[in-house]
Amino acid sequence: MATTAPRRAAVIGGNRIPFARANGAYAKASNQDMLTAALEGLVARHGLAGEHVGEVAAGAVLKHSRDFNLTRESVLGSSLAATTPAYDVQQACGTGLEAAVLVANKIALGQVESGIAGGTDTASDAPIAVHEGLRQALLSLNRAKTPAQRLKAVSRLRPGQLVPEVPRNVEPRTGLSMGEHMAQTAAQWGVTREAQDELAVESHRNLAAAYDRGFFDDLVTPYLGLTRDQNLRPDSSVDKLSKLKPVFGRGDDATMTAANSTPLTDGASVVLLGSDEWAAERGLPVLAHVVDAQTAAVDYVTGHEGLLMAPAYALPHLLERQGMKLQDFDLVEIHEAFAATVLCTLAAWESESFCRDRLGLDAPVGALDRSRLSVNGSSLAAGHPFAATGGRIVASLAKALHEKGSGARGLISICAAGGQGVMAILEAA
Amino acid sequence: MAGAYAGFVNSAVGARLAAQLGLPRPVRLRRYSADAPLVDSPVVVAGLSEAPVAARARALLTGEGVEVVASVPEGAKVGAVVLDLTAVREPADLSLVRDVLGPAVKALRPSGRVVLVGAAPAEASTVVQAAARRALEGISRSVGKELRAGATANLILVARGAEDHADATLRFLLSGRAAYVDGQVVRVGAGAPTEPADWSLPLAGKVAVVTGAARGIGASIAQVLARDGARVVCVDIPAAGEALARTANRVGGTALQVDVTAPDAGQRILDHATTRHGGLDIVVHNAGITRDKLLANMDESRWASVLDVNLGSILRMNEVLLADGGLRDGGHVVLVSSIAGIAGNRGQTNYAASKAGVIGLVDALSTDEDLRRRRITVNAVAPGFIETEMTAKVPFATREVGRLLNSLSQGGLPVDVAETIAWFSQDANAGVTGNVVRVCGQSLLGA
Ligand SMILES: NC(=O)c1ccc[n+]([C@@H]2O[C@H](COP(=O)([O-])OP(=O)(O)OC[C@H]3O[C@@H](n4cnc5c(N)ncnc54)[C@H](O)[C@@H]3O)[C@@H](O)[C@H]2O)c1
């Protein structure tokens, strides 16, 4: 069978709705509402109304069972041609980026000419589950055929089972929240409160500046009256942040606050990918190409590695395949799950022993010029609707690289629950 | 759309009361639809001497399957009257108006049309002829005020040698597209009109930009231009992006979030039109705001923002859009003025300044040597009272008065303004430039 040499998928553009704080502007919007809105803005920006797109891959981390076909349903509610296939993807906070990699790979292999990748999440309209005991009793009741069986099923009910279960941001295997996990890693790496607050302030400042210079004019479409990310505090300062009480960690190690951790957020984002030919036929300029991608996972359950450290492990594979150094990247985006996540990852790459013992490298990855890091703000300022973060970063990095000029390279790093990490490299077209 | 007054006079009690008091009763106006005939009843076409425009009218109406008659058939109703008086030499010639128009007006169906055609007074060969030609304007405006039930009267003035160039204007004024255009004078001059392959798609293959397209009149303009065959770039401020996306997706166009007052707005619009659609044929400067205040209390920001959005931004964008490499030869620029820019309005010194400035811009650009050479037409609409969110902000009593102070006794709809803009945008209409057409139902303001 003849195989075609892989081509590079083009990142053509993106769209997201402004991110809202949980129970804020989108309190009553569902995942499907938000994903559809993000799609509609993308369709309008690129003139795709009525057009067939190769596929749409997107997902949500917190998902109702009725949303089993969330992405396809969103496509049907959009202005895209109804012939556009769609499927759901889920890899915790890596969902959006992983979806982009999936679509890019299909384009690279020539299986589709165009595709849309994205994600949506709502912490406000979260699915609420019934107590496991109640669920089992209701299922027995459903199976029951005789009055006696029914009575028996009902008799197993206990008042305590009527309390609904709201999803918690907790690792099932450790019972620790993500923040508690992060606090342990931060303590290990000796990440200071000041460094975290500085990073958070920088994130707000960069995001506000990007809005002010119109950077998001063709990346964001307002939704339900919100025109900018609701979490954005342009006037945030280290002085103000230093007054906040820590929320994770203990004693001297309690350095993590509500300001240097991402808040619960609602939002959705999508990215338009395609072959160069598909883009050219429609007069759509290409911003960047997807060069490579890598996922990794770590053993955090035994405490061998920190929950959010997987991206540190993904990087050497990418660098080796591409014959690059970290310092070769013009721009780097490390998703700010917490300010400490970014700082621990950077510290690990600078550490000789970590790079030798854990990554098996002869020399450390080395320091990153911080002026190349998340130059247009990141999750601490924008917020982090889990599955929507990947699309946000892919689209804004592609645009920022394009502004830098052809050939500029950028790295994306996203950590995810379950000790996973997703990375990708983009290159300006 | 109808408003409280219309609702009342069309109710059973209201109707009786309105009839007793002689109050106006607004009717539902005939508006364009692709499958409706150009005019739904026979049309009287007449003229003095050779009447070259009447001949064109007869041909185009017959081509559309409309019955043409020389006078009102006994006991019948007619849908329109076209009277070609281009040959008028002296006031005595005007008696034809009484002979033909008098009976025809009586037989006019609801939403009927009176279209008078004259020659340009400025080109008259004698003083007597100039006076007689100008007389037509008084006639058409008065007839407009006498007509009832949604019927309108307008005048076309053709320049010497432009007798064959009025087809697109005749079609427009006779059709439902001109529902709210009443008491207007359209000047048709030289230029090289080209007939569309299909009169139901007069803008086929064209690329148009509409500013302020998220809602109101702009959204309607995008819709009508797209219906007529154009690819539409919909522009509005980033904050209006959600509604803008809706407009763009509805009309199969593209959304471009840009504030027209941004220094690079013109360049971004042109780049978008060129890279996405291969060029630019039609520019509609529709974005506009009001910030009303009596002059004595007018603050700097109200004054400056209105002048900048409604006028300054257009001047800046035009530097790019109308330069070489911008709008294609034979393209069309349409501006949106307002009757406030003609009549003035209490509390609107800033707004009226900007909208009168727009008229000045039409005058200057339509006589610009370079644009003339490139066959670019420049015209403006001056809407009267149009039912939008902008006018919904007007206090109740003023709003009801605005709705009623015109010959059609109702406010216009955004689509009425949009239809007029789409007509200005036709290549078939290349002879029409430098015109300011009011879409006001013959409002009494500034008339
Ligand atoms: N409604 C009327 O009765 C009436 C009468 C006369 C003239 N007009 C004119 O018609 C035009 C449209 O009016 P409308 O009634 O639809 O108003 P509208 O307020 O409903 O819509 C105006 C649109 O322009 C947009 N806009 C405002 N400032 C902008 C900027 N800086 N950059 C880009 N877009 C901007 C707005 O966001 C809005 O979508 C205006 O020029 C207005 O002055 C309206």
Side-chain angles (χ1 to χ4, degrees):
Chain A
M1 198 178 86
T3 55
T4 23
R7 53 185 178 179
R8 282 178 179 177
V11 180
I12 298 165
N15 183 56
R16 66 180 179 94
I17 55 176
F19 292 167
R21 289 179 69 97
N23 300 313
Y26 308 157
K28 295 201 175 117
S30 69
N31 273 329
Q32 191 180 321
D33 293 338
M34 293 192 293
L35 184 57
T36 308
L39 282 171
E40 281 302 83
L42 188 84
V43 167
R45 184 162 302 139
H46 298 92
L48 299 177
E51 282 227 35
H52 167 89
V53 171
E55 68 175 20
V56 180
V61 174
L62 293 179
K63 199 163 135 178
H64 291 271
S65 52
R66 62 164 185 264
D67 283 340
F68 63 94
N69 222 352
L70 171 67
T71 310
R72 173 65 180 150
E73 289 300 329
S74 303
V75 166
L76 286 174
S78 78
S79 301
L80 288 168
T83 55
T84 301
Y87 57 96
D88 285 17
V89 182
Q90 200 196 72
Q91 194 178 35
C93 305
T95 301
L97 185 55
E98 189 64 55
V101 171
L102 290 172
V103 173
N105 287 349
K106 281 207 192 179
I107 291 167
L109 290 175
Q111 293 171 350
V112 292
E113 287 304 309
S114 62
I116 295 171
T120 174
D121 252 298
T122 166
S124 308
D125 185 36
I128 287 180
V130 294
H131 187 278
E132 184 59 17
L134 174 60
R135 195 179 73 91
Q136 290 296 349
L138 289 174
L139 287 171
S140 306
L141 186 62
N142 194 36
R143 281 190 295 266
K145 294 202 172 64
T146 65
Q149 285 173 335
R150 277 192 206 110
L151 195 66
K152 192 170 161 215
V154 174
S155 70
R156 274 196 263 136
L157 283 177
R158 298 287 170 274
Q161 293 171 342
L162 294 177
V163 179
E165 290 187 350
V166 180
R168 292 174 305 152
N169 198 358
V170 154
E171 285 300 322
R173 287 176 190 278
T174 60
L176 293 182
S177 74
M178 204 174 254
E180 285 158 339
H181 269 289
M182 190 66 241
Q184 291 175 353
T185 318
Q188 267 165 32
W189 286 100
V191 171
T192 66
R193 166 82 184 260
E194 291 71 40
Q196 294 177 50
D197 286 350
E198 275 164 22
L199 191 95
V201 169
E202 194 73 358
S203 187
H204 283 278
R205 212 173 276 154
N206 286 342
L207 186 72
Y211 268 111
D212 289 344
R213 73 184 169 93
F215 181 74
F216 292 114
D217 284 359
D218 56 1
L219 292 173
V220 173
T221 304
Y223 183 54
L224 300 182
L226 200 58
T227 57
R228 285 188 178 198
D229 304 311
Q230 204 174 9
N231 189 55
L232 175 61
R233 301 278 175 278
D235 56 349
S236 155
S237 72
V238 174
D239 196 43
K240 277 186 205 163
L241 296 200
S242 68
K243 302 204 169 69
L244 296 173
K245 278 212 170 60
V247 289
F248 300 114
R250 276 181 218 97
D252 285 349
D253 290 340
T255 57
M256 292 169 55
T257 67
N260 61 38
S261 312
T262 47
L264 286 176
T265 321
D266 305 338
S269 71
V270 284
V271 181
L272 178 63
L273 299 141
S275 66
D276 286 344
E277 299 75 32
W278 187 87
E281 276 163 23
R282 280 155 189 79
L284 293 167
V286 169
L287 298 176
H289 288 101
V290 179
V291 175
D292 205 346
Q294 179 74 43
T295 51
V298 295
D299 175 11
Y300 71 99
V301 182
T302 60
H304 174 75
E305 185 51 84
L307 177 72
L308 301 181
M309 291 301 282
Y313 290 77
L315 181 68
H317 299 282
L318 280 178
L319 295 183
E320 198 191 333
R321 271 208 300 274
Q322 295 301 320
M324 291 180 72
K325 301 193 300 293
L326 174 63
Q327 295 72 20
D328 293 336
F329 289 101
D330 301 86
L331 295 172
V332 175
E333 291 278 342
I334 303 178
H335 157 53
E336 300 165 342
F338 304 89
T341 322
V342 179
L343 296 168
C344 289
T345 306
L346 292 176
W349 286 335
E350 284 180 41
S351 155
E352 219 175 301
S353 57
F354 178 89
C355 290
R356 184 187 58 233
D357 302 341
R358 301 261 168 131
L359 304 183
L361 300 176
D362 299 336
V365 168
L368 175 72
D369 174 359
R370 289 277 290 271
S371 70
R372 301 181 185 184
L373 182 64
S374 305
V375 293
N376 295 306
S378 191
S379 305
L380 286 171
H384 170 44
F386 313 120
T389 291
R392 171 183 71 74
I393 296 181
V394 171
S396 4
L397 179 65
K399 180 172 175 183
L401 288 171
H402 188 68
E403 285 180 344
K404 285 223 168 275
S406 178
R409 282 201 171 192
L411 176 71
I412 303 172
S413 163
I414 297 182
C415 59
Q420 308 202 83
V422 191
M423 270 192 163
I425 298 177
L426 303 183
E427 182 182 298
Chain B
M1 71 155 232
Y5 174 80
F8 170 70
V9 292
N10 284 321
S11 69
V13 179
R16 222 177 309 124
L17 207 67
Q20 281 163 9
L21 297 174
L23 291 178
R25 303 257 321 263
V27 298
R28 178 178 281 277
L29 302 179
R30 170 170 68 100
R31 292 196 165 85
Y32 175 80
S33 99
D35 34 272
L38 183 63
V39 185
D40 57 8
S41 311
V43 176
V44 176
V45 179
L48 197 64
S49 329
E50 273 159 48
V53 182
R56 302 285 302 190
R58 249 177 241 119
L60 86 82
L61 285 165
T62 312
E64 287 288 333
V66 178
E67 189 190 340
V68 176
V69 292
S71 59
V72 181
E74 192 57 37
K77 290 280 177 195
V78 295
V81 192
V82 178
L83 193 50
D84 180 349
L85 294 163
T86 47
V88 159
R89 273 169 299 123
E90 51 178 343
D93 293 337
L94 298 170
S95 59
L96 189 70
V97 170
R98 231 176 43 80
D99 298 344
V100 177
L101 206 51
V105 160
K106 241 187 263 167
L108 209 54
R109 301 250 328 228
S111 286
R113 299 283 187 267
V114 171
V115 179
L116 294 185
V117 186
E123 292 176 359
S125 40
T126 66
V127 174
V128 175
Q129 188 178 38
R133 284 179 174 183
R134 179 70 202 225
L136 294 180
E137 209 175 309
I139 296 170
S140 74
R141 291 199 206 276
S142 302
V143 170
K145 293 185 180 186
E146 290 182 11
L147 293 174
R148 288 289 169 263
T152 64
N154 293 286
L155 170 65
I156 305 176
L157 289 179
V158 291
R160 195 177 303 124
E163 292 80 5
D164 294 352
H165 296 172
D167 287 15
T169 299
L170 279 167
R171 281 176 181 274
F172 171 68
L173 291 175
L174 290 170
S175 74
R177 294 174 189 254
Y180 204 59
V181 175
D182 195 6
Q184 297 306 295
V185 181
V186 177
R187 284 173 288 110
V188 180
T194 49
E195 289 235 339
D198 177 352
W199 275 104
S200 71
L201 290 171
L203 307 179
K206 301 294 173 184
V207 180
V209 165
V210 179
T211 67
R215 63 177 208 188
I217 294 173
S220 204
I221 298 169
Q223 179 104 47
V224 170
L225 295 184
R227 180 204 67 196
D228 283 356
R231 278 283 272 174
V232 185
V233 177
C234 305
V235 175
D236 212 297
I237 49 172
E242 187 179 6
L244 183 68
R246 264 198 301 273
T247 303
N249 290 342
R250 193 169 54 231
V251 310
T254 51
L256 177 62
Q257 299 186 155
V258 53
D259 186 325
V260 294
T261 62
D264 62 348
Q267 195 60 53
R268 281 164 67 187
I269 289 171
L270 185 60
D271 287 350
H272 182 103
T274 319
T275 50
R276 298 289 181 84
H277 309 290
L280 184 56
D281 304 286
I282 297 159
V283 177
V284 183
H285 290 295
N286 162 77
I289 56 169
T290 51
R291 295 287 181 274
D292 298 358
K293 212 58 172 176
L294 293 177
L295 183 60
N297 305 325
M298 178 79 67
D299 53 274
E300 161 68 20
S301 104
R302 277 192 168 79
W303 183 262
S305 59
V306 167
L307 273 154
D308 199 42
V309 173
N310 298 2
L311 184 60
S313 72
I314 300 175
L315 298 171
R316 277 194 304 278
M317 286 189 285
N318 280 353
E319 278 177 27
V320 179
L321 298 178
L322 302 187
D324 275 336
L327 196 63
R328 280 198 277 242
D329 287 2
H332 311 280
V333 180
V334 188
L335 296 110
V336 179
S337 179
S338 165
I339 50 170
I342 298 169
N345 204 7
R346 189 180 147 86
Q348 291 198 322
T349 46
N350 52 354
Y351 185 72
S354 71
K355 294 299 183 182
V358 160
I359 296 175
L361 195 53
V362 170
D363 291 343
L365 290 176
S366 61
T367 51
D368 180 87
E369 287 289 316
D370 180 47
L371 293 183
R372 288 229 150 207
R373 200 169 35 243
R374 289 163 58 199
R375 297 177 284 107
I376 288 173
T377 70
V378 185
N379 295 286
V381 289
F385 187 93
I386 305 296
E387 309 280 355
T388 67
E389 289 179 50
M390 189 183 260
T391 45
K393 285 193 296 192
V394 174
F396 176 78
T398 321
R399 196 165 66 227
E400 283 300 322
V401 169
R403 284 195 176 110
L404 295 177
L405 276 189
N406 59 69
S407 299
L408 298 173
S409 310
Q410 58 189 296
L413 297 184
V415 69
D416 299 326
V417 181
E419 297 282 12
T420 307
I421 287 170
W423 159 67
F424 276 142
S425 305
Q426 294 177 8
D427 288 354
N429 205 22
V432 173
T433 188
N435 276 261
V436 177
V437 168
R438 298 168 42 138
V439 184
C440 64
Q442 199 174 27
S443 164
L444 298 180
L445 300 175

